[in-house]
Amino acid sequence: MSALLLKNARLDDYPEAQDLLIENGTIAKVAPVGTLSDVPTEDVIDCEGRAVLPGFVETHLHLDKALLDERMPNLAGTLEGAIKVTGALKSRFTMDDVLERSRKVLDMAIAQGTTAIRTQPDVDPIAHTIGADAMLTLRDEYRGMIDLQVVAFPQEGIIKAPGTIEMMEECLRNGADVVGGCTYNEPDVDTCKEHIRQVFDLAEKYDVPVDMHTDFWVDDSDPRYALVEHIADVTIERGMQGRVTLGHMTSLASLSGSHRVEVWDRIKQADLNIVVLPFTDMHLNARNDDHNIRRGVAPVKLMWDVDINVGLSSNNVRNAFTPFGNADLLDVALFMAQVGHMGSPDDFRHLLQTITYSNAKIIGIASGYGVKVGDRADLVVLDAADGPTGLLDRAVRTAVIKGGRVVARTQKSTELFRR
Ligand SMILES: [Zn+2]
């Protein structure tokens, strides 16, 4: 039996610090400090009063396209520019190249406290299935370090890019976990609806969740960016409530009045998950605004107020879509606070809740996720006395534990030389 003792840890639900005993990958006991000290363990970590949170969860991260920024920048700065630049680079992708860049980002994510990632590799006539094949390889290679879910993702569209749906099906046959969609890259609303139909057909055939990129614009004046109610209808018709996730959804920020209330109701009836990707959304949107530049980010606080399940994720790390980032979900959450008018202790706690419990629900791992007895021991120790302080500090992740095993440790210290 493998055992690990986390001593003197600050947990959300306890006023006093606690000791956690982890046995065989599961939290076996939580007890006041000192009361478990005679339990035989192979390993002990003294948290010294630091906050321990469940491991962070990424719902949306394009590992295959990460770290391309130095090869070709997106000078136009638009979504179309990013797709074009990445399309050109993608034509030269090899398996080794994708594996090498993806491993760098996975290692970064693990060190920053992430214990599960849903990744969306491009599947299309340019890169074919190289990205998805690489992700399936990495899912095995990183087992025990981080959980990887693979989405067959049609970045170039489905109707617009013949052959794509067949390649997506091949990926699902080979073990991809989720079927993706990308309506914003189709030419008109009819092709978008056909795209959605084909995605849901595959989801039904392989009994997998749906994870789509949709409504990526600053308003919904173009019907291609006003599909959320249609997707809600299809979700309900197909009985897929709770298993459909929509990324970006930036057009939601433009809704107001009774129309907004109707859209919130449809999202909730279909139990759609909305994933906000603030780095990319703010970077690429509103490029045509020359004054009073809009933020182009979905209204997270408004959605929290009506109990829509909102996720937050990195999306991209240093490429034409997002030329910054280091796969650090605390960084994403703090940026969301700055962009989303969030400054209260409640807001900070809600942001932490989002990158942990809400994101876990979105990728379907909520059962057994947390810091209670019986939960999987996927944990992160922050160099801070509580989560909100850790968020503001973007605190060092002093230890990351996956399935009861320490998978990363980081130490940083500063010495000041006073006069
Ligand atoms: Zn994306």
Side-chain angles (χ1 to χ4, degrees):
M1 186 177 73
S2 67
L4 169 69
L5 184 64
L6 291 188
K7 284 170 58 181
N8 199 2
R10 289 264 169 197
L11 306 179
D12 232 7
D13 295 336
Y14 295 82
E16 304 295 331
Q18 302 288 309
D19 288 351
L20 278 83
L21 178 67
I22 295 162
E23 287 175 344
N24 296 325
T26 302
I27 300 171
K29 286 179 185 166
V30 178
V33 173
T35 55
L36 299 176
S37 51
D38 55 352
V39 173
T41 52
E42 289 159 20
D43 206 357
V44 178
I45 293 179
D46 188 352
C47 299
E48 297 174 323
R50 295 184 176 92
V52 173
L53 274 61
F56 302 144
V57 177
E58 283 273 11
T59 63
H60 190 132
L61 179 57
H62 299 275
L63 293 166
D64 60 321
K65 295 189 286 206
L67 307 178
L68 290 172
D69 53 332
E70 286 177 357
R71 296 186 192 175
M72 199 187 290
N74 172 15
L75 296 176
T78 58
L79 175 62
E80 297 71 32
I83 293 172
K84 200 171 160 197
V85 162
T86 309
L89 291 169
K90 218 162 38 171
S91 65
R92 303 199 286 274
F93 274 7
T94 63
M95 182 67 131
D96 284 346
D97 173 38
V98 174
L99 287 171
E100 192 184 329
R101 285 181 291 100
S102 303
R103 284 188 189 112
K104 283 184 187 161
V105 180
L106 283 170
D107 293 351
M108 284 171 163
I110 292 166
Q112 308 287 13
T114 298
T115 51
I117 294 179
R118 177 180 278 183
T119 186
Q120 289 79 359
D122 289 13
V123 175
D124 54 48
I126 306 171
H128 306 277
T129 62
I130 288 176
D133 295 342
M135 296 308 123
L136 291 171
T137 300
L138 294 170
R139 189 176 68 184
D140 288 338
E141 186 181 315
Y142 276 77
R143 208 177 291 282
M145 293 284 286
I146 192 164
D147 296 327
L148 212 51
Q149 279 185 10
V150 181
V151 182
F153 169 58
Q155 171 74 81
E156 307 294 328
I158 291 176
I159 315 309
K160 194 179 148 196
T164 299
I165 198 78
E166 290 80 5
M167 283 185 268
M168 290 165 67
E169 181 157 13
E170 185 190 326
C171 295
L172 290 166
R173 277 198 303 268
N174 290 339
D177 306 280
V178 181
V179 59
C182 187
T183 52
Y184 67 64
N185 209 355
E186 298 291 0
D188 55 53
V189 75
D190 289 336
T191 45
C192 288
K193 287 184 174 172
E194 176 58 18
H195 180 124
I196 292 163
R197 189 187 66 76
Q198 294 191 15
V199 166
F200 275 82
D201 281 352
L202 273 188
E204 231 170 53
K205 185 170 174 187
Y206 289 88
D207 190 22
V208 289
V210 168
D211 186 300
M212 313 219 325
H213 290 51
T214 38
D215 295 16
F216 197 176
W217 193 244
V218 280
D219 59 41
D220 63 352
S221 54
D222 181 329
R224 290 180 303 154
Y225 308 123
L227 288 168
V228 66
E229 289 170 284
H230 174 72
I231 295 169
D233 290 343
V234 176
T235 301
I236 293 167
E237 271 165 37
R238 306 273 188 141
M240 286 201 58
Q241 293 94 324
R243 298 183 78 201
V244 176
T245 298
L246 305 180
H248 300 295
M249 295 303 306
T250 57
S251 70
L252 294 176
S254 71
L255 305 182
S256 62
S258 59
H259 180 42
R260 183 163 76 199
V261 174
E262 281 164 28
V263 170
W264 288 170
D265 283 348
R266 296 303 287 143
I267 290 173
K268 289 183 69 171
Q269 282 160 11
D271 198 5
L272 299 175
N273 303 305
I274 306 295
V275 170
V276 179
L277 306 153
F279 284 158
T280 308
D281 295 343
M282 189 151 172
H283 181 67
L284 294 180
N285 267 319
R287 289 288 177 146
N288 298 330
D289 292 356
D290 70 355
H291 64 285
N292 277 346
I293 298 163
R294 287 167 285 184
R295 296 178 187 211
V297 179
V300 172
K301 278 187 95 163
L302 292 176
M303 292 192 285
W304 280 349
D305 287 347
V306 294
D307 286 329
I308 289 172
N309 195 42
V310 177
L312 269 179
S313 277
S314 295
N315 194 30
N316 285 288
V317 175
R318 299 184 212 175
N319 65 13
F321 294 84
T322 314
F324 24 71
N326 50 6
D328 180 355
L329 278 162
L330 284 187
D331 211 12
V332 176
L334 188 61
F335 183 67
M336 189 62 236
Q338 291 154 353
V339 169
H341 291 160
M342 300 167 180
S344 72
D346 271 355
D347 288 336
F348 299 143
R349 275 190 284 274
H350 212 148
L351 285 163
L352 290 167
Q353 191 81 11
T354 302
I355 59 170
T356 52
Y357 293 93
S358 302
N359 281 359
K361 180 176 178 230
I362 289 170
I363 71 164
I365 60 165
S367 171
Y369 176 88
V371 198
K372 306 183 303 298
V373 170
D375 288 338
R376 287 185 300 280
D378 290 358
L379 303 167
V380 55
V381 184
L382 299 185
D383 189 12
D386 55 69
T389 307
L391 170 64
L392 293 173
D393 288 347
R394 277 164 293 171
V396 171
R397 291 2 92 87
T398 59
V400 182
I401 294 142
K402 174 72 191 164
R405 194 175 72 88
V406 180
V407 290
R409 295 202 74 164
T410 303
Q411 284 187 320
K412 279 182 194 158
S413 63
T414 303
E415 199 176 346
L416 289 181
F417 301 97
R418 300 189 189 282
R419 289 172 65 179

